[in-house]
Amino acid sequence: MDVIGLLPRLHLLRFPVGQAYLWRDDDALTLIDAGTIGAGRAIADAVRALGHAPGDVRRIVLTHFHEDHVGGAGEFAALSGAEVLAHPLDAPFVRGELPGPHPRFEDWELPIHAAAAKLLPDGTPMPPASVTGVSDGDVLGFGGGARVIHVPGHTDGSIALFLPEERVLFTGDTVAASPVDGSVLPGVFNLDRPQLLASLVRLAELDADVACFGHGDPVVGGAAAALREVARAR
Ligand SMILES: [Zn+2]
Ligand SMILES: [Zn+2]
C-alpha cells in the first residue's frame, strides 16, 4: 500500500485495487473507505507513520459496499475502535448479512472487471461489529462539517462526502480517473448507469476544488470544472 500526501490534512492510501483516504483534524482522524481484505494492519501502520495511534481514528466512512472499499473496515475497526458508517441501503452488505447485488456490466467493462478481480485478495471481508447508518444531508463531525450526499447508481447506497469549508469532495466510485491519462470519467461496474450519471451531475454542481475518487489520481485544484465537463459530455 502506498501513502501519498495530497493536502496537509489529507492523505491518499493506494491499494492494488482501489483507494482510501485519511483526513486529519487537530484531534482526530477519519478514514474514508478501508481498502481490500487484509488492509486493516497496513492502514494502522500508515496511521502510525503519520505520527498518530490507530485509536485516533474516530470513524470509518464507507462510500459503498464493494469489497475493494470495505475489505479492511472490520479489521481496522477492531484495531482502532473506530465507528463504521455507511448508507442504510448498503449497510446489510457491509455487515455481511446478505451478498451484495452484482453490477450490470456493460460489454466493454467485462475485461476490465476480470483484470481487477485477479488483483483482489481471496476470502470474505471480516464484517464490522456494528455499522451506523448515514443518509443524505447528514453532517459528520470532521473537516469542518462533512456533508453526506446520497449518490445512487454505482450501488443503491453509494454516498459522497463534501467538505464545504475545505472544498474537498470524496466521490467513492461514482466518479473515477483513468489509469491511462488521468482523465475524469463516470464510475464503472454500476447497478444503474443512468442513475449514476444523474448522481454525477449532482456532484458537479458542488464547488469542489479537490476531488478524491475510489480509483485513479485525485484532482487537486479545479475539480468542479473537471466534473462539469464530464457531466456535460454525457
Ligand atoms: Zn471500487
Ligand atoms: Zn465500487
Side-chain angles (χ1 to χ4, degrees):
M1 183 193 72
D2 295 325
V3 181
I4 299 157
L6 299 174
L7 299 172
R9 294 184 183 277
L10 178 62
H11 283 79
L12 161 67
L13 312 182
R14 179 165 279 161
F15 302 94
V17 180
Q19 298 167 164
Y21 296 87
L22 202 53
W23 179 268
R24 170 165 38 184
D25 289 303
D26 291 337
D27 56 344
L29 303 175
T30 296
L31 181 67
I32 295 104
D33 286 334
T36 45
I37 292 169
R41 199 172 290 260
I43 294 169
D45 289 343
V47 168
R48 287 191 198 97
L50 293 171
H52 292 270
D56 293 341
V57 179
R58 297 293 150 77
R59 60 186 76 74
I60 305 166
V61 190
L62 300 173
T63 61
H64 64 294
F65 76 82
H66 285 161
E67 183 188 314
D68 48 332
H69 299 257
V70 312
E75 302 162 18
F76 186 71
L79 285 168
S80 63
E83 184 179 22
V84 177
L85 304 109
H87 192 278
L89 289 174
D90 273 21
F93 316 126
V94 175
R95 289 191 197 102
E97 294 165 2
L98 294 168
H102 288 290
R104 281 194 216 132
F105 292 112
E106 313 273 327
D107 286 344
W108 57 268
E109 291 178 339
L110 289 168
I112 310 173
H113 186 261
K118 277 188 203 148
L119 297 173
L120 284 174
D122 290 333
T124 309
M126 169 185 164
S130 69
V131 179
T132 306
V134 290
S135 301
D136 192 76
D138 287 355
V139 177
L140 309 181
F142 73 95
R147 236 174 77 201
V148 175
I149 304 164
H150 184 208
V151 284
H154 183 66
T155 65
D156 290 340
S158 282
I159 56 168
L161 297 167
F162 183 52
L163 282 46
E165 280 184 19
E166 308 282 346
R167 298 181 62 210
V168 172
L169 174 66
F170 299 94
T171 68
D173 281 356
T174 301
V175 193
S178 161
V180 178
D181 61 7
S183 58
V184 180
L185 303 165
V188 295
F189 314 155
N190 306 304
L191 275 180
D192 186 331
R193 185 173 158 89
Q195 198 179 37
L196 171 114
L197 295 174
S199 289
L200 197 159
V201 167
R202 204 172 157 210
L203 296 183
E205 287 164 1
L206 301 167
D207 185 27
D209 191 44
V210 174
C212 299
F213 311 124
H215 302 263
D217 287 341
V219 175
V220 181
L227 290 170
R228 278 168 206 154
E229 199 169 313
V230 185
R232 235 189 338 259
R234 301 294 139 183

